Amino acid sequence: MSDERTLLIRTARGHGPSARRLWDLYAPRLIAYARTLLAAQGAQDQAEDVVQIAMCKVLQVRRSKLKEIEAVGPWLYTIVRTTALNHMRGERRERKRRVHAKVQSALGPPTSYESIRRAVERLPSDEAEVVSLRHVGCLTFDQISEILAIPRSTAASRHARAIDRLRAFLAELDEPVRTVEGAKHV
């Protein structure tokens, strides 16, 4: 067993000196790599945080898996890469959310579409799923029952309950409930 792999296994067991040694061996290079990855978003200053998160993930790996690792360095770089990419995706989502919130506040009260979306999000997940399949996916209750592996009557009753809840939610918001002309009702 290589010295690095031994350090890795001891670190996973909670051996502090091994963890410090592993950090000393790899942290500077892993941080430099993370900076390179994060530079595309101008987030190089978060590289050390990303590496620390990656190292915490290392501590969560089962010891039996750690014993299978042949090359510790490439494995650590892979974890840092995945962590950095996840971090960047999260940052992009957060930026979009902030921009969306600014636009929404500038527009004033929410649009009908926005109100409906919020109302659907308040539904129990099984009802929201049926509503989405029915009205976004334009599926019949037979198709929905097949996809969800439930009886057709269950799909229809979930839909009916969801529509009642949506009417109540929208009534709380003083949003008129309109039907779409030409919508299929099965």
Side-chain angles (χ1 to χ4, degrees), residues 89-183:
R89 276 192 288 275
E91 289 291 314
R92 277 194 302 270
R93 280 192 303 270
E94 181 62 21
R95 272 197 303 280
K96 284 181 185 178
R97 187 197 63 74
R98 285 185 191 141
V99 167
H100 182 72
K102 284 181 183 178
V103 168
Q104 288 302 316
S105 66
L107 293 175
T111 63
S112 292
Y113 170 78
E114 191 66 24
S115 299
I116 292 168
R117 184 187 59 77
R118 287 184 194 158
V120 170
E121 287 174 353
R122 291 175 58 186
L123 290 172
S125 61
D126 59 339
E127 292 176 14
E129 187 174 19
V130 169
V131 167
S132 178
L133 290 170
R134 180 85 173 111
H135 297 283
V136 177
C138 301
L139 300 177
T140 66
F141 289 125
D142 288 328
Q143 292 167 324
I144 294 168
S145 69
E146 187 176 323
I147 290 168
L148 300 179
I150 58 174
R152 182 190 190 284
S153 59
T154 302
S157 64
R158 285 181 186 173
H159 181 265
R161 275 195 313 274
I163 295 300
D164 289 342
R165 288 183 208 263
L166 289 172
R167 282 191 178 108
F169 294 156
L170 293 173
E172 290 173 15
L173 298 171
D174 289 328
E175 286 285 331
V177 178
R178 295 182 282 259
T179 59
V180 177
E181 290 182 28

Side-chain angles (χ1 to χ4, degrees), residues 8-9 11-14 52-66 69 75-76 79 83:
L8 185 63
I9 292 168
T11 297
R13 289 182 183 151
Q52 287 179 0
I53 291 166
M55 294 304 269
C56 287
K57 289 180 181 180
V58 167
L59 295 175
Q60 295 172 350
V61 175
R62 291 186 332 268
R63 285 185 209 133
S64 61
K65 169 88 170 129
L66 294 176
I69 297 167
W75 184 74
L76 289 173
I79 292 172
T83 305

